[in-house]
Amino acid sequence: MSSHEQQPSTEVARSGTDGRLPERFENPGLAPHRHRLADSDPKVSKRSERQVVVIFLISVLASIAGVVGYFVIPLDEPSILDVRLSTLVIGAGLGLGMLGIGVAAVQWARALMDDAEKVEDRHPMSAGPSVQQQAFEMLRDGGSEANIARRPVLKGAVGGALALAPLAFLVPLIGNLGADWDISKFARTAWRPVRGGDPERYYQGQYRYLAVDPQDRRIKASEITNNNIVHVIPHGLPEEEHYLEEKAKAVVLLVRVDPGLLKESAERADWSYEGIVAYSKICTHVGCPVALYEQQTHHLLCPCHQSTFDITDAAKVVFGPAKRALPQLPIAVDEEGYLYAKADFDEPVGPSYWQRER
Ligand code: FES
């Protein structure tokens, strides 16, 4: 490799595409190299080094904050705020830790590394011993050009940042490996019948009514018109500690189609009411809300990765990455025509996970 400035001398030919004579022009070469202030002024060089060190230190602190956040924010009985805060702190720690390393490396290269312009003549590629020797020499030269040997503080900062950044990712990962996962929370929803429930909220003190979200108003079967889609939740969900999680798990889409179109197994023959069917709104792929309904095909579509479910055929998957049908909620009406859930979903809602069979 040689280090020199390219001279503007060579004439370069360019062929015209329309059959005319080739054009000729002068190779302008590279503009004269302008040295950076940091190359000639030790004070500026020192200031640049301090900048790089500070950015690496920010990376170190962010990584530590991510790890500390993982241990400090309690997730044994977490509220939704705890979960969000934990995700924010770990994510921000991991992100800032990695970003700091990237920004510091760029600033280091811009301000401190050797910036001489170099031209390397092309040569045949070979993996022979001489090439390998060259590669080792280039790596060694690169190391000395990075000027790290004579900058011990910078050396410590980059070492610390590189060593700590992976921790913000690894510690939560390793910490959760032995965690006691309570999967029962996924297996049941607020639709499950209770004993001795409040008659205002439960049909016969046992079965949850379906209610329009967010008004929490009970809904009658007569309000669901053909090909109309309605998003419903369990009526009278108490706004207690896990209200948002319970609501999110239980959200349901109600659709009415011509009853003659429904292909219902003998087991599910009485799970619908006059063509009204109720399916979990949580996609069985990775849990996005299934939100689009095609009236002509009677398909429900998930906007995230286009999984498509046929509601006339037990919400089976007809397209996309989801592997399971949407769980169905068995429904019926009371004496006044209000819809209620006769039982919980027939299987856990949402994406697949281990031990999901009941
Ligand atoms: S989450 Fe629905 S298709 Fe991926």
Side-chain angles (χ1 to χ4, degrees), residues 85-100:
L85 187 63
S86 170
T87 308
L88 178 71
V89 171
I90 294 173
L94 185 60
L96 274 177
M98 300 307 286
L99 182 70

mmCIF file with all atom_site columns, all heavy atoms in Angstrom, residues 85-100:
data_model
loop_
_atom_site.group_PDB
_atom_site.id
_atom_site.type_symbol
_atom_site.label_atom_id
_atom_site.label_alt_id
_atom_site.label_comp_id
_atom_site.label_asym_id
_atom_site.label_entity_id
_atom_site.label_seq_id
_atom_site.pdbx_PDB_ins_code
_atom_site.Cartn_x
_atom_site.Cartn_y
_atom_site.Cartn_z
_atom_site.occupancy
_atom_site.B_iso_or_equiv
_atom_site.pdbx_formal_charge
_atom_site.auth_seq_id
_atom_site.auth_comp_id
_atom_site.auth_asym_id
_atom_site.auth_atom_id
_atom_site.pdbx_PDB_model_num
ATOM 1   N N   . LEU A 1 85  ? -42.385 0.231  32.014 1.00 0.00 ? 85  LEU A N   1
ATOM 2   C CA  . LEU A 1 85  ? -41.175 0.889  32.505 1.00 0.00 ? 85  LEU A CA  1
ATOM 3   C C   . LEU A 1 85  ? -39.967 -0.023 32.344 1.00 0.00 ? 85  LEU A C   1
ATOM 4   O O   . LEU A 1 85  ? -38.894 0.399  31.886 1.00 0.00 ? 85  LEU A O   1
ATOM 5   C CB  . LEU A 1 85  ? -41.369 1.268  33.973 1.00 0.00 ? 85  LEU A CB  1
ATOM 6   C CG  . LEU A 1 85  ? -40.257 2.112  34.587 1.00 0.00 ? 85  LEU A CG  1
ATOM 7   C CD1 . LEU A 1 85  ? -40.154 3.451  33.875 1.00 0.00 ? 85  LEU A CD1 1
ATOM 8   C CD2 . LEU A 1 85  ? -40.489 2.329  36.070 1.00 0.00 ? 85  LEU A CD2 1
ATOM 9   N N   . SER A 1 86  ? -40.150 -1.293 32.684 1.00 0.00 ? 86  SER A N   1
ATOM 10  C CA  . SER A 1 86  ? -39.044 -2.244 32.553 1.00 0.00 ? 86  SER A CA  1
ATOM 11  C C   . SER A 1 86  ? -38.606 -2.354 31.099 1.00 0.00 ? 86  SER A C   1
ATOM 12  O O   . SER A 1 86  ? -37.414 -2.318 30.783 1.00 0.00 ? 86  SER A O   1
ATOM 13  C CB  . SER A 1 86  ? -39.504 -3.609 33.086 1.00 0.00 ? 86  SER A CB  1
ATOM 14  O OG  . SER A 1 86  ? -38.565 -4.584 32.762 1.00 0.00 ? 86  SER A OG  1
ATOM 15  N N   . THR A 1 87  ? -39.584 -2.475 30.198 1.00 0.00 ? 87  THR A N   1
ATOM 16  C CA  . THR A 1 87  ? -39.252 -2.569 28.772 1.00 0.00 ? 87  THR A CA  1
ATOM 17  C C   . THR A 1 87  ? -38.526 -1.322 28.302 1.00 0.00 ? 87  THR A C   1
ATOM 18  O O   . THR A 1 87  ? -37.537 -1.391 27.564 1.00 0.00 ? 87  THR A O   1
ATOM 19  C CB  . THR A 1 87  ? -40.558 -2.732 27.951 1.00 0.00 ? 87  THR A CB  1
ATOM 20  O OG1 . THR A 1 87  ? -41.298 -3.799 28.507 1.00 0.00 ? 87  THR A OG1 1
ATOM 21  C CG2 . THR A 1 87  ? -40.251 -3.035 26.499 1.00 0.00 ? 87  THR A CG2 1
ATOM 22  N N   . LEU A 1 88  ? -39.006 -0.166 28.775 1.00 0.00 ? 88  LEU A N   1
ATOM 23  C CA  . LEU A 1 88  ? -38.388 1.102  28.364 1.00 0.00 ? 88  LEU A CA  1
ATOM 24  C C   . LEU A 1 88  ? -36.943 1.193  28.844 1.00 0.00 ? 88  LEU A C   1
ATOM 25  O O   . LEU A 1 88  ? -36.035 1.515  28.072 1.00 0.00 ? 88  LEU A O   1
ATOM 26  C CB  . LEU A 1 88  ? -39.203 2.269  28.922 1.00 0.00 ? 88  LEU A CB  1
ATOM 27  C CG  . LEU A 1 88  ? -38.649 3.651  28.615 1.00 0.00 ? 88  LEU A CG  1
ATOM 28  C CD1 . LEU A 1 88  ? -38.823 3.970  27.134 1.00 0.00 ? 88  LEU A CD1 1
ATOM 29  C CD2 . LEU A 1 88  ? -39.316 4.723  29.446 1.00 0.00 ? 88  LEU A CD2 1
ATOM 30  N N   . VAL A 1 89  ? -36.735 0.856  30.124 1.00 0.00 ? 89  VAL A N   1
ATOM 31  C CA  . VAL A 1 89  ? -35.389 1.013  30.692 1.00 0.00 ? 89  VAL A CA  1
ATOM 32  C C   . VAL A 1 89  ? -34.408 0.025  30.057 1.00 0.00 ? 89  VAL A C   1
ATOM 33  O O   . VAL A 1 89  ? -33.301 0.398  29.650 1.00 0.00 ? 89  VAL A O   1
ATOM 34  C CB  . VAL A 1 89  ? -35.443 0.835  32.228 1.00 0.00 ? 89  VAL A CB  1
ATOM 35  C CG1 . VAL A 1 89  ? -34.042 0.783  32.801 1.00 0.00 ? 89  VAL A CG1 1
ATOM 36  C CG2 . VAL A 1 89  ? -36.208 1.985  32.851 1.00 0.00 ? 89  VAL A CG2 1
ATOM 37  N N   . ILE A 1 90  ? -34.821 -1.248 29.928 1.00 0.00 ? 90  ILE A N   1
ATOM 38  C CA  . ILE A 1 90  ? -33.921 -2.237 29.336 1.00 0.00 ? 90  ILE A CA  1
ATOM 39  C C   . ILE A 1 90  ? -33.660 -1.886 27.868 1.00 0.00 ? 90  ILE A C   1
ATOM 40  O O   . ILE A 1 90  ? -32.525 -1.910 27.394 1.00 0.00 ? 90  ILE A O   1
ATOM 41  C CB  . ILE A 1 90  ? -34.514 -3.658 29.454 1.00 0.00 ? 90  ILE A CB  1
ATOM 42  C CG1 . ILE A 1 90  ? -34.575 -4.051 30.925 1.00 0.00 ? 90  ILE A CG1 1
ATOM 43  C CG2 . ILE A 1 90  ? -33.671 -4.661 28.681 1.00 0.00 ? 90  ILE A CG2 1
ATOM 44  C CD1 . ILE A 1 90  ? -35.299 -5.354 31.184 1.00 0.00 ? 90  ILE A CD1 1
ATOM 45  N N   . GLY A 1 91  ? -34.729 -1.523 27.156 1.00 0.00 ? 91  GLY A N   1
ATOM 46  C CA  . GLY A 1 91  ? -34.567 -1.176 25.735 1.00 0.00 ? 91  GLY A CA  1
ATOM 47  C C   . GLY A 1 91  ? -33.692 0.048  25.551 1.00 0.00 ? 91  GLY A C   1
ATOM 48  O O   . GLY A 1 91  ? -32.795 0.070  24.701 1.00 0.00 ? 91  GLY A O   1
ATOM 49  N N   . ALA A 1 92  ? -33.938 1.075  26.378 1.00 0.00 ? 92  ALA A N   1
ATOM 50  C CA  . ALA A 1 92  ? -33.152 2.301  26.241 1.00 0.00 ? 92  ALA A CA  1
ATOM 51  C C   . ALA A 1 92  ? -31.691 2.032  26.604 1.00 0.00 ? 92  ALA A C   1
ATOM 52  O O   . ALA A 1 92  ? -30.766 2.522  25.947 1.00 0.00 ? 92  ALA A O   1
ATOM 53  C CB  . ALA A 1 92  ? -33.723 3.398  27.133 1.00 0.00 ? 92  ALA A CB  1
ATOM 54  N N   . GLY A 1 93  ? -31.471 1.223  27.661 1.00 0.00 ? 93  GLY A N   1
ATOM 55  C CA  . GLY A 1 93  ? -30.095 0.899  28.063 1.00 0.00 ? 93  GLY A CA  1
ATOM 56  C C   . GLY A 1 93  ? -29.365 0.161  26.953 1.00 0.00 ? 93  GLY A C   1
ATOM 57  O O   . GLY A 1 93  ? -28.243 0.513  26.586 1.00 0.00 ? 93  GLY A O   1
ATOM 58  N N   . LEU A 1 94  ? -30.035 -0.842 26.407 1.00 0.00 ? 94  LEU A N   1
ATOM 59  C CA  . LEU A 1 94  ? -29.420 -1.631 25.335 1.00 0.00 ? 94  LEU A CA  1
ATOM 60  C C   . LEU A 1 94  ? -29.173 -0.762 24.099 1.00 0.00 ? 94  LEU A C   1
ATOM 61  O O   . LEU A 1 94  ? -28.086 -0.762 23.511 1.00 0.00 ? 94  LEU A O   1
ATOM 62  C CB  . LEU A 1 94  ? -30.372 -2.785 24.983 1.00 0.00 ? 94  LEU A CB  1
ATOM 63  C CG  . LEU A 1 94  ? -29.914 -3.819 23.987 1.00 0.00 ? 94  LEU A CG  1
ATOM 64  C CD1 . LEU A 1 94  ? -28.659 -4.499 24.477 1.00 0.00 ? 94  LEU A CD1 1
ATOM 65  C CD2 . LEU A 1 94  ? -31.012 -4.848 23.760 1.00 0.00 ? 94  LEU A CD2 1
ATOM 66  N N   . GLY A 1 95  ? -30.199 0.026  23.738 1.00 0.00 ? 95  GLY A N   1
ATOM 67  C CA  . GLY A 1 95  ? -30.085 0.862  22.537 1.00 0.00 ? 95  GLY A CA  1
ATOM 68  C C   . GLY A 1 95  ? -28.996 1.911  22.675 1.00 0.00 ? 95  GLY A C   1
ATOM 69  O O   . GLY A 1 95  ? -28.132 2.064  21.798 1.00 0.00 ? 95  GLY A O   1
ATOM 70  N N   . LEU A 1 96  ? -29.004 2.627  23.827 1.00 0.00 ? 96  LEU A N   1
ATOM 71  C CA  . LEU A 1 96  ? -28.007 3.690  24.009 1.00 0.00 ? 96  LEU A CA  1
ATOM 72  C C   . LEU A 1 96  ? -26.599 3.118  24.134 1.00 0.00 ? 96  LEU A C   1
ATOM 73  O O   . LEU A 1 96  ? -25.629 3.706  23.667 1.00 0.00 ? 96  LEU A O   1
ATOM 74  C CB  . LEU A 1 96  ? -28.340 4.509  25.252 1.00 0.00 ? 96  LEU A CB  1
ATOM 75  C CG  . LEU A 1 96  ? -29.328 5.646  25.023 1.00 0.00 ? 96  LEU A CG  1
ATOM 76  C CD1 . LEU A 1 96  ? -29.633 6.333  26.344 1.00 0.00 ? 96  LEU A CD1 1
ATOM 77  C CD2 . LEU A 1 96  ? -28.778 6.661  24.032 1.00 0.00 ? 96  LEU A CD2 1
ATOM 78  N N   . GLY A 1 97  ? -26.517 1.927  24.786 1.00 0.00 ? 97  GLY A N   1
ATOM 79  C CA  . GLY A 1 97  ? -25.212 1.282  24.919 1.00 0.00 ? 97  GLY A CA  1
ATOM 80  C C   . GLY A 1 97  ? -24.612 0.987  23.554 1.00 0.00 ? 97  GLY A C   1
ATOM 81  O O   . GLY A 1 97  ? -23.442 1.281  23.286 1.00 0.00 ? 97  GLY A O   1
ATOM 82  N N   . MET A 1 98  ? -25.408 0.404  22.661 1.00 0.00 ? 98  MET A N   1
ATOM 83  C CA  . MET A 1 98  ? -24.910 0.070  21.329 1.00 0.00 ? 98  MET A CA  1
ATOM 84  C C   . MET A 1 98  ? -24.695 1.332  20.492 1.00 0.00 ? 98  MET A C   1
ATOM 85  O O   . MET A 1 98  ? -23.707 1.464  19.771 1.00 0.00 ? 98  MET A O   1
ATOM 86  C CB  . MET A 1 98  ? -25.900 -0.862 20.605 1.00 0.00 ? 98  MET A CB  1
ATOM 87  C CG  . MET A 1 98  ? -26.163 -2.169 21.306 1.00 0.00 ? 98  MET A CG  1
ATOM 88  S SD  . MET A 1 98  ? -24.689 -3.095 21.735 1.00 0.00 ? 98  MET A SD  1
ATOM 89  C CE  . MET A 1 98  ? -24.199 -3.713 20.161 1.00 0.00 ? 98  MET A CE  1
ATOM 90  N N   . LEU A 1 99  ? -25.654 2.268  20.604 1.00 0.00 ? 99  LEU A N   1
ATOM 91  C CA  . LEU A 1 99  ? -25.531 3.505  19.824 1.00 0.00 ? 99  LEU A CA  1
ATOM 92  C C   . LEU A 1 99  ? -24.271 4.271  20.223 1.00 0.00 ? 99  LEU A C   1
ATOM 93  O O   . LEU A 1 99  ? -23.542 4.801  19.384 1.00 0.00 ? 99  LEU A O   1
ATOM 94  C CB  . LEU A 1 99  ? -26.772 4.384  20.047 1.00 0.00 ? 99  LEU A CB  1
ATOM 95  C CG  . LEU A 1 99  ? -26.806 5.676  19.257 1.00 0.00 ? 99  LEU A CG  1
ATOM 96  C CD1 . LEU A 1 99  ? -27.012 5.372  17.771 1.00 0.00 ? 99  LEU A CD1 1
ATOM 97  C CD2 . LEU A 1 99  ? -27.914 6.606  19.741 1.00 0.00 ? 99  LEU A CD2 1
ATOM 98  N N   . GLY A 1 100 ? -24.005 4.309  21.544 1.00 0.00 ? 100 GLY A N   1
ATOM 99  C CA  . GLY A 1 100 ? -22.821 5.020  22.032 1.00 0.00 ? 100 GLY A CA  1
ATOM 100 C C   . GLY A 1 100 ? -21.550 4.455  21.426 1.00 0.00 ? 100 GLY A C   1
ATOM 101 O O   . GLY A 1 100 ? -20.646 5.195  21.012 1.00 0.00 ? 100 GLY A O   1
#
